[in-house]
């Protein structure tokens, strides 16, 4: 018998198992190692994803072929053509349109801000210009804080539609603003919608996506943000010739909000939320359509096991985040966002235009587009790598790359070298920093937090984590320029590199690998309550 079995569409590699083996094995996750071993799966007696005990005996789900040479079973594994992600993709794509709006509203004020300030009468007032940005962050903080409460009661589909209301109203208010107050009110409303969706979309994707593709589909959040930034920066070029063009851009944003609300009408609800709400038949139908009929019974069994043990998030309380294991995951989620922001991504993005200008690239639009395309390329790299290399390895490598990049810029600034070489090293360090951030620290943070969270508290943990994100985002934006003026660019960038090193160490010791495991399997292994019932 040939060593390779081929079909019309796939190449199937065989793997030998004992002829009478009937024990299904799952990959065992190790918090310190970036590879998987195989042991029989069972519920754990500790809060680490290790040391699985044998407790069940099932036949392998993969089809078996008989090896005529030695009588061993051969398991089919499909490698070449893999479209298991395709049924869930349209639903994930529609939801990630909210991330496109996130990126669009980040970039929409970048180019036309001078025209806006001139027209509304606050030109040259840096405090008011900063307020236009910070009021957006204040709205996002409040939106993130309330998102978990809404989704527990309305479900993801309806909540995402409700959250488009402030997005649409805010964009229209900004587009028709004839005073600073109207502009600020519109930006605040936009922030409310953005903050809520920043919490909801990663959770929705993690609950709708098949386990094998959860990381890759989750990376669409970052790709959506990058696409929105690039779109707004590209459209912003026309504001140089038309001082009122910014109003048109904001009308475009409101239309995109309508498209998002309409598209979510055809998106599926999270099968996990439906199961919590008692709509079991609807949950089974969605699982069958998105994950395949063979996954229905096992998935529903896992959902119900988790609900029976821990209850659903429909009746969860904020105070539960103080209890184990929820407090540990909330602490990890909040810390990840603190480290992400204080590693300096927003400051580096802000300062990159000056870096390019010092290197002789005076076209601000060209510099911004270069940064946006780098971010976009990194996000695509994350999409390819996150389900292949794993979350922990990718985020550690990302922070190591960010640290090296920052130290490279510090070297270029601090040491007496040729001016042309210094400029080139500064640009190289900035580009590498953005690229490595976009490959890991950016997208993976939003992917792994809902994966580690329990079904009962997932919405509230994400709300808490993103609220921390917005506070840190605001603080970095508020104090960055003041710190660079007082201490210089090199010490501030050096501190960003040091935080990146600490983030890599933190990820090594406190994160566990979640690749290839269902959300319920992860929760069972992290929750000691399951071990007590064992």
């Amino acid at each position: 018998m040939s060593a390779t079995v081929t079909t019309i569409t796939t190449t199937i590699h065989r793997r030998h198992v004992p002829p009478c083996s009937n024990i299904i094995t799952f990959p065992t996750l190790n918090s310190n190692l970036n590879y998987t071993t195989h042991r029989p799966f069972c519920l754990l007696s500790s809060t680490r994803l290790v040391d699985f005990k044998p407790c069940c005996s099932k036949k392998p789900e993969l089809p078996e072929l008989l090896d005529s040479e030695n009588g061993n079973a051969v398991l089919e594994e499909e490698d070449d053509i893999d479209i298991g992600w395709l049924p869930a993709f349209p639903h994930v794509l529609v939801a990630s349109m909210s991330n496109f709006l996130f990126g669009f509203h980040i970039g929409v004020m970048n180019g036309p801000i001078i025209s806006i300030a001139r027209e509304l009468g606050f030109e040259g007032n840096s405090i008011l210009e900063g307020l236009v940005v910070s009021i957006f962050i204040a709205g996002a903080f409040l939106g993130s804080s309330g998102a978990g409460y809404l989704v527990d009661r309305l479900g993801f589909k309806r909540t995402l539609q409700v959250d488009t209301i402030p997005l649409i109203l805010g964009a229209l208010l900004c587009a028709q603003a004839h005073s600073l107050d109207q502009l600020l009110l519109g930006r605040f409303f936009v922030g409310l919608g953005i903050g809520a969706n920043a919490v909801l979309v990663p959770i929705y994707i993690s609950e709708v996506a098949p386990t094998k593709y959860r990381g890759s589909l989750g990376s669409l959040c970052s790709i959506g943000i990058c696409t929105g930034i690039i779109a707004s920066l590209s459209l912003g070029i026309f504001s140089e010739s038309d001082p009122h063009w910014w109003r048109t851009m904001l009308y475009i944003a409101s239309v995109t909000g309508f498209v998002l609300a309409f598209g979510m009408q055809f998106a599926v609800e999270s099968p996990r939320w439906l199961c919590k709400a008692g709509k079991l038949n609807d949950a089974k139908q969605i699982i069958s359509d998105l994950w395949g009929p063979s996954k229905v019974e096992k998935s529903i069994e896992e959902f119900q096991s988790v609900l029976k043990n821990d209850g659903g998030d429909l009746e969860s309380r904020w105070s539960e985040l103080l209890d184990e294991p929820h407090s540990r995951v909330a602490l990890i989620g909040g810390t990840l966002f603190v480290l992400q922001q204080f590693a300096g991504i927003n400051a580096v993005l802000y300062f990159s235009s000056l870096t390019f200008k010092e290197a002789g690239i005076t076209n601000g639009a060209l510099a911004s587009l270069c940064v946006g395309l780098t971010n976009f390329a990194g996000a695509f790299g994350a999409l390819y790598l996150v389900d292949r290399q794993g979350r922990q390895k990718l985020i550690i490598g990302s922070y190591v790359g960010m640290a090296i990049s920052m130290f490279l810029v510090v070297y270029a600034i601090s040491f007496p070298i040729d001016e042309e070489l210094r400029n080139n090293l500064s640009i190289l360090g900035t580009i590498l920093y953005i690229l490595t951030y976009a490959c890991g620290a950016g997208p993976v943070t939003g992917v792994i937090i809902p994966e580690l969270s329990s079904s009962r508290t997932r919405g509230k943990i994400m709300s808490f984590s993103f609220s921390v994100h917005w506070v840190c985002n605001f603080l970095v934006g508020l104090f960055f320029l003041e710190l660079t003026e007082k201490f210089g660019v090199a010490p501030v960038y050096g501190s960003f590199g040091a935080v990146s090193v600490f983030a890599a160490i933190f990820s090594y010791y406190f994160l566990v690998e979640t690749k290839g495991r269902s959300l319920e399997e992860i929760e069972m292994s992290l929750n000691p309550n399951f071990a007590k019932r064992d």
Side-chain angles (χ1 to χ4, degrees), residues 21 61 104 126 164 203 242 256 268 300 347 470:
S21 174
E61 293 182 359
F104 193 91
S126 58
T164 59
I203 304 178
D242 183 357
T256 308
V268 298
I300 293 296
W470 293 116

Side-chain angles (χ1 to χ4, degrees), residues 130-183:
L131 186 60
V132 171
V133 175
S134 61
I135 199 72
F136 171 88
I137 296 175
F141 172 81
L142 293 177
S144 294
S145 301
Y149 177 84
L150 284 176
V151 75
D152 290 348
R153 285 148 183 80
L154 300 179
F156 290 91
K157 183 174 177 178
R158 292 290 173 253
T159 305
L160 285 168
Q161 288 181 310
V162 169
D163 288 339
T164 59
I165 295 174
L167 284 172
I168 295 169
L169 289 178
L172 290 174
L173 277 171
C174 289
Q176 298 177 1
H178 293 285
S179 68
L180 177 62
D181 292 341
Q182 292 174 340
L183 181 67

Side-chain angles (χ1 to χ4, degrees), residues 440-516:
V444 175
T445 302
V447 168
I448 199 169
I449 295 174
E451 290 181 331
L452 294 175
S453 305
S454 71
S455 176
R456 181 176 179 85
T457 58
R458 189 168 290 130
K460 290 180 173 60
I461 286 177
M462 282 294 282
S463 291
F464 167 76
S465 300
F466 265 96
S467 296
V468 171
H469 166 275
W470 293 116
V471 170
C472 295
N473 187 318
F474 175 78
L475 292 175
V476 171
L478 182 64
F479 292 111
F480 172 69
L481 286 180
E482 183 177 346
L483 290 173
T484 55
E485 290 175 3
K486 185 174 182 179
F487 299 105
V489 175
V492 174
Y493 271 32
S495 68
F496 292 158
V499 172
S500 297
V501 171
F502 181 78
I505 296 171
F506 176 86
S507 300
Y508 180 82
Y509 284 105
F510 289 93
L511 294 186
V512 291
E513 187 52 71
T514 56
K515 178 187 73 170

Side-chain angles (χ1 to χ4, degrees), residues 346-383:
N346 289 303
V348 173
L349 288 173
Y350 177 85
F351 204 70
S352 62
S353 59
L354 297 179
T355 302
F356 282 102
K357 190 174 293 185
E358 289 180 359
I361 302 176
T362 56
N363 189 321
L366 180 61
S368 298
L369 187 60
C370 179
V371 170
L373 291 174
T374 301
N375 212 355
F376 188 74
F380 259 104
L383 184 148

Side-chain angles (χ1 to χ4, degrees), residues 267-281:
V268 298
E269 182 55 83
S270 162
R272 290 174 169 92
W273 185 87
L274 288 171
C275 197
K276 297 169 197 172
K279 301 178 181 180
L280 205 59
N281 290 333

